[in-house]
Amino acid sequence: MSEQIIISIGREYGSGGHVIAEQLAERFNLAMYDVNILREIAVENNLDTALLEKYDEVPKKRFISRNVRGYSNSPEENIANIQFEYLRKKAKKGESFIVVGRCSEAILKEYKGLITIFILADRDVKINRVSSIRHMTEAEAEATMNRHDKKRKEYHNYYCTGKWGDSRNYDISINSSKLGIDKTVDYLENYIKERKKAL
């Protein structure tokens, strides 16, 4: 059996991190988990997918949430923990996969085959990318980008001791603006291949 490999991709909004993850999943023939985790969980448990997705990677509302005997009344926290457990089960089975976000660099850190990557990009490049893809003005794109990154940061920093985007918490951080998406994927593919050799 080949060595297990788990690629964790953290990303800034507009950096192309999701596209990079998709291309790496194709190149390494790996399953990719992002919001589709919730769809699978919903099907398994006969739940409303749209309701679960509403709370995906959303920070817990601290002032109106409470824990009693280990149970939380926060849907954000419950859905986060369901996803964490889903990923842990996949990893424990020895499966190889790519996961986008979901604190995966922290919750799966015990696995030898974990490779953690953070994708960032220059602000103007991110604004242009979001503006183009979502058909927004630059001002709207910047506001959207700021809102999403604020949510991601709060979500991540609530569940993890390491800070979101801090390069010390990842094996490699890379600015996708410098090489462009395709060449960034090429660079990361080579990096991952070298890491696989060392497993």
Side-chain angles (χ1 to χ4, degrees):
M1 187 172 116
S2 61
E3 291 284 352
Q4 180 183 43
I5 179 172
I6 301 170
I7 303 170
S8 163
I9 307 277
R11 75 286 185 219
E12 292 180 342
Y13 193 81
S15 66
H18 197 273
V19 173
I20 288 167
E22 287 176 333
Q23 291 191 27
L24 288 172
E26 284 182 19
R27 294 190 188 192
F28 288 98
N29 193 28
L30 295 173
M32 184 174 121
Y33 298 114
D34 53 9
V35 71
N36 64 346
I37 291 175
L38 292 175
R39 295 181 195 124
E40 293 188 25
I41 291 168
V43 169
E44 286 175 7
N45 298 281
N46 198 26
L47 298 171
D48 180 2
T49 304
L51 179 63
L52 297 183
E53 289 179 357
K54 178 181 174 184
Y55 298 106
D56 184 40
E57 286 196 303
V58 175
K60 175 182 176 181
K61 294 179 177 66
R62 297 185 190 209
F63 298 111
I64 60 172
S65 302
R66 44 185 289 213
N67 289 318
V68 178
R69 296 181 185 155
Y71 294 96
S72 173
N73 72 340
S74 163
E76 298 90 352
E77 185 169 20
N78 290 329
I79 288 168
N81 285 323
I82 287 169
Q83 290 185 80
F84 299 159
E85 188 57 30
Y86 181 94
L87 292 171
R88 288 187 185 110
K89 284 180 181 176
K90 293 282 182 187
K92 191 173 182 180
K93 287 179 183 176
E95 294 182 25
S96 293
F97 54 88
I98 288 183
V99 57
V100 179
R102 285 144 190 86
C103 302
S104 50
E105 87 287 350
I107 65 164
L108 301 175
K109 64 183 178 182
E110 67 189 87
Y111 292 91
K112 181 184 172 185
L114 178 66
I115 299 171
T116 59
I117 299 166
F118 191 84
I119 312 292
L120 59 144
D122 293 343
R123 190 165 191 80
D124 61 328
V125 173
K126 291 189 293 183
I127 290 171
N128 288 337
R129 180 179 176 80
V130 173
S131 176
S132 173
I133 291 172
R134 300 196 60 179
H135 309 291
M136 296 175 163
T137 66
E138 289 191 358
E140 289 170 334
E142 184 171 20
T144 299
M145 185 177 79
N146 290 339
R147 185 174 68 253
H148 279 276
D149 278 349
K150 182 175 185 286
K151 280 189 350 185
R152 286 177 182 173
K153 182 177 182 180
E154 289 175 359
Y155 168 88
H156 182 280
N157 292 353
Y158 177 78
Y159 295 105
C160 306
T161 52
K163 300 303 180 189
W164 179 80
D166 185 336
S167 61
R168 291 169 293 187
N169 299 317
Y170 306 90
D171 298 328
I172 185 169
S173 294
I174 188 165
N175 185 330
S176 62
S177 310
K178 305 308 179 187
L179 295 174
I181 299 296
D182 292 340
K183 287 187 178 178
T184 297
V185 174
D186 292 340
Y187 182 89
L188 291 172
E189 180 183 10
N190 289 330
Y191 175 81
I192 292 164
K193 284 177 177 175
E194 290 301 315
R195 286 287 305 277
K196 284 180 71 178
K197 289 177 187 177
L199 291 178

